[in-house]
Amino acid sequence: MDTSWFSIIPFLVVIPVAIYTKQVLPALFLGLLVGAYLMDPTILGGIQTMFVYVVQALIDTNNIKIVVFLYAFSGLVGMVKMTGGIRGFVEKAAERIQTRKQALVLTYVSTLGTFIAPTFRFVTIAPIMRALLKKVKMTTAELGFVIETTATPVIVLIPVATAFVGYMVSIIQIATQNQGVNVDPYSLFIQSIPFNFFSIVTILLGIYLSFFHHSRKKSTAPTQIDEDVEDEEDWHECHPAVDKELPIKPFNLLLPLVLVIGFTLFLTWYDGFTQGYGFFESFIQADVLDAMVVALLITVLLSMAFYLLQRFKLDELISGFINGGNDLMSVILLLSVVWGLSSITDDLGFSAFVTAHAGWIPQMFIAPLIFIFGAAVSYFIGSAWGTWGILMPLGISLAVVGDVSLPLVVGAVFASGAFGAFASPLSDDTNTIAKILGLSVIEYAKYKLKPALIAAGITTVMYVVVTFIF
């Protein structure tokens, strides 16, 4: 009797529970628990099995590196906030911006230095725009939309020095390992970037609306800029990172960014160089995860020394680092559950089940269906990371069974999560930008939904067309 169908039961639990509760972590945990009891259906056996799988995931060498990277990265951001790096950047930029075009150009150019994470983008750019609302001549919702098109859609396409890249490579790694696919996960991630069509289309849409679109009728977007605009000083209260009590030190932001990017690129090249590869091939063949972790740790130490020279107290710097790192503990917990769930479903025979029952799906529909299904899930749960963790094993399995390009399907999975992060009223992106700009979350989400659906429609067509080519 084929019992591999048991392997889909955890997913049949996770997806509806996540959509109903609008909470990803409890849904994944419940799916993990159900999978554990399917493995060992005794009173204590299920709990013990779940514990074993999570521990095995956490002691994996690459997984530990990712946990260290995420915690240290968030800790570095915590020190940058505490030492006034973000407030300093916002203050200096706001002083120099005088026109709408300058403000919008700054929004795009600043991506080069603030692509660490979406929230990081929001707390460096949105307060500047809030301080310049009267000059920008856009509705607040239109402004928020433009800012968001330079956040998650851009960050998911950047292969180094972001809070996303370690997680994205990790879920590719475990999904390919479970499927028995011998491929370097980082290389596969790089190859998938051009196929994250939703992010690319959304960026282009943002550029069009910023610089080329001129509406002939008054916008119906919520909160008009010319209506009851708050005093410019009010923007200091929109986020703790730009609080008036913090010092104004823009170099406390710029130096860590230069260091982490520079060291990451250098150590990536150096690792490949020591293996005997040429300049360009070194970046492809290197152990990028190792390079990113080491570069980040060096940056943390040098940044802390730089802050100490400015007479910041060591205990305050350590507290800022720990508080920043702790902000990402929920993500680290999410990762450990995703790792455990993927391993359990693989041992239950998930790959065998997909191989036996998914052959009827036409090849040309696999990538677009993965995107549409993932976009629906991510919209209702509001989490790109949760969507990726749930869908990547399914996407890799379907790609192998249907003989579809792996980079194409991986790109479709990442695109589906990006849709939810951008469009969902439950996403951190939507809620953070709405709070900083003083918008109603629901009204702002409704405003974004139409262009997001247009971008999703274009994306779906592109997946169908590209499938024929590949």
Side-chain angles (χ1 to χ4, degrees), residues 9 56 125 151 174 197 263 433 451:
I9 293 178
Q56 287 177 341
I125 292 303
I174 194 167
F197 294 141
F263 278 120
I433 199 72

Side-chain angles (χ1 to χ4, degrees), residues 263-273 282-283 286 288 291-292:
F263 278 120
T264 298
L265 293 175
F266 171 75
L267 292 175
T268 300
W269 165 80
Y270 186 73
D271 183 74
F273 173 76
S282 292
F283 288 96
V288 182
M292 287 195 301

